[in-house]
Amino acid sequence: MFQDFLSLLFPEICHACDQTLARGERYICTECNVKLPYTDLHLHGATELNYLQQRFWGKAPVRFAFSYLHFRSKGRVQRVLHKLKYKGAQELGEHLGRLYGTLLAEHGYAAHFDLVIPVPLHRLKLRRRGYNQSDGFAKGLAEALQIAWSSKVLERVIDTDTQTKKSRLDRWQNVEQVFVVKQAEEVSGKRVLLVDDVLTTGATLEACAHALLQSGCSEVSVTTIAAA
Ligand SMILES: [Zn+2]
């Protein structure tokens, strides 16, 4: 009753289309749930049909590469990513993580991972934003896959945003030094599922994968909310 009254005063809106949610809908409306551009990459596993997998060939040994959605610079996906990153919608990240994690678990992938690790923000950026937009997605995935997740294992020691004025070559050389593993004992011998919000070139995930593998992690897979 009180909840109904509240939702009348402050209707919850869909994070993908900004329309008012109907009773029983959470975070994303039924229409958007149907229309979001899903990649369905989990259906292809680690084969040549998985275009995301191919992007890591010759760069980093990645066991599986998945993304929940196709990246779109406009429309539903853009709105979802924007709210996740700039509007404090951390629960939305968890919700998407649980949905995707459930899907991955249904297709037998839970047995392939031991630990979920989100790509970290630099501590100054984390302080400014207040949260890491990839943490929620990592947490939701881990919950659905019934494995652990940790935001303490990996650290971003260089703020790459301050590197953008440098030449491309310099940046490429720097990227390998951007991430360090703080707790090698936590990843040693484990199969890690590395998580980020968006994948564009894959350079960030690649750098994280190298850092993890150098620290004794046995295998790295990657997944994002959206991939270009
Ligand atoms: Zn919607």
Side-chain angles (χ1 to χ4, degrees):
M1 176 83 180
F2 182 62
Q3 199 61 42
D4 286 349
F5 179 66
L6 272 184
S7 63
L8 210 65
L9 286 179
F10 309 102
E12 269 193 79
I13 58 153
C14 169
H15 288 293
C17 71
D18 291 336
Q19 302 289 315
T20 307
L21 288 176
R23 183 191 276 263
E25 289 177 342
R26 293 301 307 277
Y27 309 108
I28 291 175
C29 76
T30 308
E31 187 184 348
C32 289
N33 268 330
V34 172
K35 291 188 174 168
L36 279 169
Y38 301 103
T39 69
D40 290 334
L41 282 171
H42 60 279
L43 301 177
H44 302 309
T47 66
E48 64 275 11
L49 289 170
N50 183 334
Y51 70 92
L52 217 53
Q53 191 86 34
Q54 290 187 22
R55 228 175 276 177
F56 292 95
W57 286 357
K59 293 176 181 170
V62 164
R63 178 76 177 95
F64 295 105
F66 298 132
S67 176
Y68 194 28
L69 306 170
H70 288 290
F71 177 77
R72 301 274 189 271
S73 56
K74 286 189 177 122
R76 290 184 171 93
V77 175
Q78 189 270 339
R79 276 194 286 269
V80 163
L81 293 171
H82 183 81
K83 277 165 194 172
L84 208 60
K85 204 163 176 177
Y86 302 108
K87 301 289 178 187
Q90 293 177 78
E91 284 184 13
L92 170 64
E94 274 186 59
H95 173 68
L96 295 173
R98 277 193 299 269
L99 288 178
Y100 198 34
T102 303
L103 197 62
L104 292 177
E106 279 169 9
H107 284 81
Y109 290 106
H112 286 286
F113 317 121
D114 303 309
L115 179 66
V116 181
I117 297 180
V119 169
L121 295 181
H122 188 265
R123 64 187 162 78
L124 296 178
K125 195 180 232 177
L126 184 64
R127 202 180 300 161
R128 231 178 305 140
R129 191 174 293 163
Y131 66 100
N132 177 354
Q133 73 276 9
S134 298
D135 279 4
F137 190 57
K139 188 177 174 214
L141 277 168
E143 206 179 292
L145 292 165
Q146 298 187 309
I147 52 175
W149 78 284
S150 175
S151 59
K152 310 236 180 311
V153 171
L154 200 57
E155 186 181 5
R156 188 190 287 250
V157 288
I158 297 170
D159 189 356
T160 36
D161 284 358
T162 62
Q163 305 283 308
T164 46
K165 287 200 178 74
K166 294 196 172 186
S167 76
R168 251 188 103 168
L169 186 65
D170 278 348
R171 270 186 286 155
W172 184 78
Q173 285 168 335
N174 280 341
V175 81
E176 285 300 305
Q177 300 145 24
V178 172
F179 299 97
V180 296
V181 174
K182 281 191 301 181
Q183 302 174 336
E185 69 282 3
E186 290 295 317
V187 295
S188 176
K190 288 195 180 146
R191 300 160 304 166
V192 170
L193 178 60
L194 192 58
V195 170
D196 208 356
D197 55 346
V198 182
L199 186 153
T200 47
T201 64
T204 303
L205 288 164
E206 192 187 314
C208 287
H210 284 159
L212 287 165
L213 290 164
Q214 276 163 19
S215 297
C217 134
S218 69
E219 195 176 277
V220 175
S221 294
V222 301
T223 189
T224 58
I225 297 173

